[in-house]
Amino acid sequence: MRVSRLLLVTLRDDPAEAEIASHKLLIRAGYIRRVASGIYAYLPLLWRVLQKISAIVREEMDGSGALETLLPQLQPAELWQRSGRWAGYTAGEGIMFHLCDRQGRELGLGPTHEEVITSLAADLLRSYRQLPVNLYQIQTKFRDEIRPRFGLMRGREFIMKDAYSFHGSEECLRQTYAAMDGVYRRIFQRCGLRVVAVEADSGAIGGSASQEFMVTAEAGEDLILTSSDGLYAANQERAVSLAPPAVPLPGGMRLSGAGEPLATPDATTIEQLAAGHGFDPTQVVKVLLLLARFEDGLRQAVVISLRGDQQLNEVKLVNALTARLGAAHGTLLSIEPLSTDLARELRQKEGIEIDPAALPLGYLGPDLEEGALVDRRGLAEPAQGMARGSGARLATTVLRLTDATAAALTAFVCGANRPGHHRVGVSWEGLGLTPDVVDLRACQAGDRCLHDPSQTLSAVRGIEVGHIFQLGRKYAEALEARYTSESGQEETLWMGCYGIGVSRLAQAAIEQNHDNAGLNWPVAIAPFEAIVVSASAQDPQQVSLAESAYDRLRQAGIDALLDDRDERAGVKFKDADLIGIPWRLVVGRGAARGEVEVVFRADGHRRDLPLDQALEVLISAITASRSGLGDSA
RNA sequence: CGGGAUGUAGCGCAGCUUGGUAGCGCACUUCGUUCGGGACGAAGGGGCCGCAGGUUCGAAUCCUGUCAUCCCGACCA
């Protein structure tokens, strides 16, 4: 390809819309253009990169025995209603674009394809003899992200490789899951990425085991915690660890664990309480009052007890609530602090009366009375003027969950459930409570590891480029995907699913491979492997030598670009660096002697060589590094 | 959705406080000189000043509304 024909439009200034390096460079170097928020045109250069990544993904997936397919993006609501995900994905903060066709039928634009593939599996898979199968596709996905960000990093339309495997047993699923783990590591290695595999939360997709593949980069949206011995790595959402030991409360229990009252005006936070009254935060039980909203209208007050120095991990909380109430009440739509504002909103929009004045916010204790937080009237009567038919109703009991760090305290300080007062020397028995213990704390860098308390966790930021799940039978059950086993029994299929964000991966590669001059693609996914630049477009000798170098590179099967523009050498060099072509062959002053210069973009290393030798060097270096495997230059 | 910011030529920005009919750099076109790290000179082209309404003799500028984009939080490949 000739640069003059490439529609190469590069910019000198950083675009105002971009924040992180990779996003700025994608725009500046002419790889993408924004069409709307979170929606981008992939320009010819980027499309070549995406094709190369896709080719690697295909080779590795095909090599593992997976079958490529292409599934519809337009999906009937009915399919999603059967899996129980329609409401969660469309209502409220749902991320599925959905629409009605001319007959008034509801359709969704696929954010993922579990439903479609599972219903197909139910159709096609009948016998254990057909198992296992692994189907994948590389396709555009649509997600109405709450906040699209950072260019291709979090787009509303993006390219994803998703694979779904079906099995006759959990054991077989585990084998494929393990195989995909290996396939993924190879794919990322071939793409030239430094990736960490971490234990992950399975989120809205569901299922049991799941692992994310994180490109380590400062711009990453996730926090990864890893042990120094390399044996443990997890997403913070999921991570487990040992909290620092608590400082024992002097004097222990008081008044048989009922606690001694302490006047604490203006001490509504742990910091104020600790600073004002000489307590260590680990001696305090912090109580959070939250309200969970479920799909069926249930509004559940939740009282969380945490040790004062600990932070709530919301993902763990959502999982705990879903595990306890999801089956009976549907998707958990939201969980938020029960503030005065929320109480007002509840009264106005849902006809639910919670008197904020009755809530001693800032002075809550784990034994907070249910009083105002539950529905004591039986079925709630809709108040006049509120949203009709919302069906919102308050639960009849309060759910109390206690993190293990708080449950382990034998004598602690906590709020007295009346403004301006705490209690000192409280015990769980003294409160008449048996803690319902759940792991709810957010792990931090510096925490000790569970597998070896002498190891500590450290934190790195990461960009999630892949995620593999053992889904189990959740979707197969919902969509009645069964097969006949060897013994003639009808059995539900076991499922796994495996995703790679292809377009995100391209940008993550830039985040890891760039410098002040521009991009610096790994050879395996570079849009072109080499660029031939003649220093002067006026010098016929240089031009013809450049042409012949370009032809010979192409004949040798190299993806070569020829900068044939009548620009000054500096402009062409700057552009070559900016768009990040790994190898540059400069035809300049030495042209008269048949000499050219070979430049390696990554380290700027250059050498003058006769053309024949230069081509040889280039061709062997490129063919050696093309696979992305091994220790190429 | 809540909090913050910004919309002026393809890109980056000034002008707005104090209303008087739009400017700078880059990019683009033509000519000349230059030619190994984003050249120089000359001459050009390009703007419903996000949109709608209002105030005013007069609005990029003041007021109201609205839309869009970006950043911080909840979502995820």
Side-chain angles (χ1 to χ4, degrees):
Chain A
M1 174 55 70
R2 291 163 185 272
V3 175
S4 65
R5 305 283 84 211
L6 186 59
L7 195 67
L8 180 66
V9 180
T10 58
L11 306 174
R12 288 197 191 196
D13 298 312
D14 281 335
E17 72 188 57
E19 192 75 6
I20 63 174
S22 54
H23 186 194
K24 289 178 184 169
L25 288 170
L26 278 170
I27 298 170
R28 272 193 62 203
Y31 282 82
I32 59 171
R33 280 294 159 101
R34 192 182 66 79
V35 173
S37 178
I39 301 175
Y40 290 85
Y42 311 133
L43 302 183
L45 276 179
L46 183 69
W47 185 238
R48 293 184 66 101
V49 172
L50 295 173
Q51 302 270 42
K52 291 207 174 181
I53 295 169
S54 300
I56 291 172
V57 169
R58 283 199 175 91
E59 273 178 38
E60 295 296 334
M61 291 301 294
D62 292 349
S64 78
L67 301 164
E68 184 166 3
T69 58
L70 191 59
L71 302 170
Q73 287 159 311
L74 220 37
Q75 306 177 9
E78 186 257 335
L79 221 41
W80 285 72
Q81 281 153 355
R82 282 173 63 197
S83 71
R85 292 206 295 178
W86 179 257
Y89 268 70
T90 56
E93 307 261 279
I95 57 159
M96 183 152 61
F97 287 105
H98 52 286
L99 55 127
C100 282
D101 68 11
R102 62 177 70 234
Q103 319 283 3
R105 287 180 291 241
E106 285 191 292
L107 298 162
L109 224 35
T112 177
H113 282 75
E114 280 82 7
E115 281 76 3
V116 170
I117 196 83
T118 308
S119 75
L120 268 175
D123 236 18
L124 299 173
L125 298 175
R126 281 129 201 216
S127 159
Y128 72 94
R129 292 175 204 274
Q130 294 169 290
L131 302 176
V133 263
N134 192 359
L135 292 161
Y136 77 95
Q137 60 172 346
I138 296 175
Q139 196 207 41
T140 296
K141 293 276 190 281
F142 298 90
R143 291 185 188 169
D144 193 359
E145 291 287 344
I146 297 163
R147 181 146 98 89
R149 244 195 292 212
F150 303 145
L152 306 181
M153 222 59 120
R154 180 173 298 283
R156 296 196 292 169
E157 182 179 323
F158 60 97
I159 298 176
M160 177 170 162
K161 188 283 308 184
D162 49 330
Y164 305 88
S165 67
F166 295 90
H167 311 268
S169 71
E170 188 169 20
E171 172 52 27
C172 179
L173 164 59
R174 285 209 194 94
Q175 281 169 19
T176 297
Y177 180 82
M180 293 307 291
D181 177 24
V183 165
Y184 271 41
R185 287 171 200 265
R186 261 181 80 88
I187 289 173
F188 299 130
Q189 188 191 351
R190 288 187 59 182
C191 291
L193 297 169
R194 296 182 296 283
V195 165
V196 185
V198 303
E199 286 181 20
D201 180 73
S202 48
I205 307 287
S208 51
S210 105
Q211 182 172 279
E212 289 167 334
F213 295 85
M214 296 287 193
V215 170
T216 52
E218 265 313 301
E221 296 182 274
D222 288 279
L223 194 68
I224 307 166
L225 294 167
T226 56
S227 69
S228 23
D229 61 10
L231 293 177
Y232 182 75
N235 193 313
Q236 190 193 26
E237 295 173 349
R238 159 85 184 202
V240 289
S241 66
L242 293 170
V247 176
L249 183 67
M253 274 200 291
R254 301 189 200 174
L255 302 182
S256 312
E260 238 166 51
L262 175 68
T264 52
D266 305 319
T268 56
T269 67
I270 300 292
E271 293 71 37
Q272 290 163 350
L273 183 65
H277 301 272
F279 297 119
D280 187 273
T282 64
Q283 296 165 337
V284 181
V285 167
K286 158 167 82 179
V287 174
L288 309 176
L289 178 58
L290 307 170
L291 186 86
R293 299 190 216 212
F294 283 86
E295 190 182 347
D296 75 340
L298 181 75
R299 300 295 178 258
Q300 173 72 59
V302 184
V303 171
I304 306 287
S305 299
L306 281 169
R307 204 172 75 188
D309 62 318
Q310 298 298 311
Q311 299 299 317
L312 175 67
N313 179 326
E314 272 199 45
V315 173
K316 289 180 179 176
L317 174 60
V318 166
N319 289 342
L321 292 176
T322 302
R324 281 157 196 257
L325 298 167
H329 301 286
T331 312
L332 174 59
L333 299 178
S334 72
I335 170 97
E336 52 193 313
L338 191 35
S339 61
T340 319
D341 285 349
L342 179 61
R344 190 182 312 121
E345 186 191 323
L346 285 171
R347 184 178 333 110
Q348 287 166 358
K349 293 192 184 160
E350 303 189 342
I352 288 179
E353 286 293 341
I354 293 177
D355 179 10
L359 300 174
L361 296 177
Y363 296 94
L364 301 177
D367 54 339
L368 178 67
E369 280 195 23
E370 297 202 335
L373 301 173
V374 296
D375 188 351
R376 284 162 301 174
R377 296 171 298 171
L379 282 179
E381 309 267 338
Q384 58 283 64
M386 58 161 247
R388 64 295 96 164
S390 71
R393 65 186 192 285
L394 208 48
T396 53
T397 103
V398 166
L399 182 62
R400 295 174 204 272
L401 300 175
T402 304
D403 182 66
T405 51
L409 298 176
T410 52
F412 52 86
V413 178
C414 67
N417 292 323
R418 60 186 168 118
H421 294 272
H422 280 81
R423 287 167 290 180
V424 182
V426 178
S427 73
W428 293 102
E429 298 75 26
L431 292 177
L433 293 175
T434 307
D436 186 349
V437 181
V438 184
D439 175 26
L440 293 173
R441 58 180 284 271
C443 297
Q444 306 289 344
D447 285 353
R448 293 164 299 156
C449 298
L450 283 183
H451 75 278
D452 177 359
S454 72
Q455 302 282 327
T456 55
L457 293 176
S458 50
V460 203
R461 300 209 68 86
I463 301 164
E464 181 188 356
V465 290
H467 199 158
I468 59 178
F469 304 78
Q470 290 180 33
L471 292 177
R473 308 213 260 192
K474 169 179 169 180
Y475 293 93
E477 264 160 21
L479 295 158
E480 302 175 318
R482 303 196 194 93
Y483 71 103
T484 306
S485 74
E486 202 165 355
S487 59
Q489 300 293 306
E490 278 252 297
E491 305 254 7
T492 301
L493 287 161
W494 292 84
M495 267 181 84
C497 87
Y498 319 92
I500 290 180
V502 172
S503 43
R504 177 185 282 182
L505 188 156
Q507 186 169 344
I510 299 172
E511 205 54 43
Q512 265 188 355
N513 299 287
H514 71 272
D515 57 24
N516 290 335
L519 316 193
N520 175 19
W521 290 109
V523 172
I525 60 172
F528 292 93
E529 295 164 321
I531 180 167
V532 177
V533 179
S534 54
S536 167
Q538 316 291 297
D539 180 342
Q541 213 169 6
Q542 287 187 20
V543 170
S544 78
L545 198 61
E547 288 279 353
S548 93
Y550 169 61
D551 284 340
R552 289 172 63 184
L553 284 171
R554 286 197 307 158
Q555 275 159 28
I558 304 293
D559 271 337
L561 194 55
L562 174 68
D563 197 341
D564 59 337
R565 294 175 299 173
D566 184 10
E567 289 285 353
R568 297 164 62 88
V571 172
K572 293 191 268 196
F573 294 158
K574 289 280 187 196
D575 273 343
D577 287 346
L578 179 60
I579 65 179
I581 308 303
W583 292 95
R584 189 169 84 215
L585 196 152
V586 183
V587 181
R589 298 195 196 91
R593 301 186 306 278
E595 274 196 1
V596 299
E597 183 185 54
V598 175
V599 187
F600 188 47
R601 170 73 178 85
D603 59 10
H605 180 75
R606 53 186 70 189
R607 51 204 286 210
D608 289 309
L609 294 169
L611 180 62
D612 287 350
Q613 266 187 55
L615 292 175
E616 213 172 289
V617 165
L618 253 186
I619 291 163
S620 68
I622 288 170
T623 41
S625 57
R626 189 179 268 160
S627 74
L629 301 169
D631 49 6
S632 54

